[in-house]
Amino acid sequence: MSLYQQIEKDYITAYKAKETVRVSVLRMLKTSVKRRLVDTSRPGEELGDDEMMDVIIKEAKQRRDSIAEYNKAGRADLAEKEEAELAILEGYLPKALTDEELAAAIEEMVAKVGAKAPSDMGKVMGPLMKALKGRVDGGRLSAAVKARLAK
């Protein structure tokens, strides 16, 4: 079953169970998918798992940004709502990397591309972003790579 089909199935299940937050998140996700299909001139088709992952990652990032802004503004109630939505979205993403796993992946890529200085950051980031898609936030990865190359 594709990721898109899984989301459709989960949406119907949540709707029948009257899980309002899950229904809302999955409805928003379905809307984002349709928007992506229209933007790529493929209305009526289905996104592949890779493209679905991109949409979910984008939506999760928006939630993280909103949580940070709401917390900064002292709006714990809205931040809590966004955290609940983020938890649902993260259920469709691969398991996040631990700090140790991230460090090991960075070391491996640094050795593979022969990066030695901070100016080689692009050589490391591109392949790592593809390899670790959905498992690590870009900001976290960037900071970790920058720290490693600064040594």
Side-chain angles (χ1 to χ4, degrees):
M1 177 181 305
S2 74
L3 189 53
Y4 181 79
Q5 291 167 338
Q6 181 65 46
I7 288 170
E8 285 287 334
K9 181 180 167 213
D10 291 349
Y11 173 77
I12 292 168
T13 304
Y15 188 81
K16 288 179 180 178
K18 295 183 174 39
E19 297 175 28
T20 55
V21 174
R22 182 172 292 278
V23 167
S24 171
V25 170
L26 295 177
R27 186 177 289 146
M28 168 274 314
L29 196 54
K30 288 172 51 165
T31 301
S32 294
V33 166
K34 286 185 174 137
R35 187 176 313 114
R36 175 84 174 254
L37 287 169
V38 168
D39 290 347
T40 59
S41 301
R42 302 180 337 207
E45 293 182 24
E46 201 174 284
L47 290 181
D49 283 353
D50 248 12
E51 290 175 300
M52 276 300 299
M53 191 66 65
D54 289 341
V55 171
I56 296 169
I57 289 168
K58 181 180 177 189
E59 292 296 331
K61 183 179 180 340
Q62 286 177 347
R63 296 303 172 288
R64 285 187 200 98
D65 293 346
S66 295
I67 290 168
E69 291 299 316
Y70 288 142
N71 284 332
K72 196 176 359 174
R75 295 295 309 263
D77 55 327
L78 294 175
E80 210 171 279
K81 177 185 177 285
E82 295 288 329
E83 286 169 358
E85 292 179 0
L86 179 60
I88 293 167
L89 289 170
E90 286 176 340
Y92 295 101
L93 294 173
K95 184 179 158 283
L97 291 176
T98 64
D99 290 337
E100 294 79 25
E101 292 170 326
L102 180 59
I106 290 170
E107 284 302 324
E108 184 181 321
M109 190 57 66
V110 165
K112 184 176 179 181
V113 299
K116 294 179 182 8
S119 60
D120 295 328
M121 190 163 168
K123 291 180 189 175
V124 177
M125 284 294 292
L128 271 177
M129 284 299 289
K130 283 183 183 172
L132 304 177
K133 186 176 194 172
R135 298 190 66 203
V136 66
D137 178 61
R140 180 177 167 220
L141 178 61
S142 177
V145 169
K146 191 179 291 183
R148 166 56 185 87
L149 293 176
K151 289 182 183 176

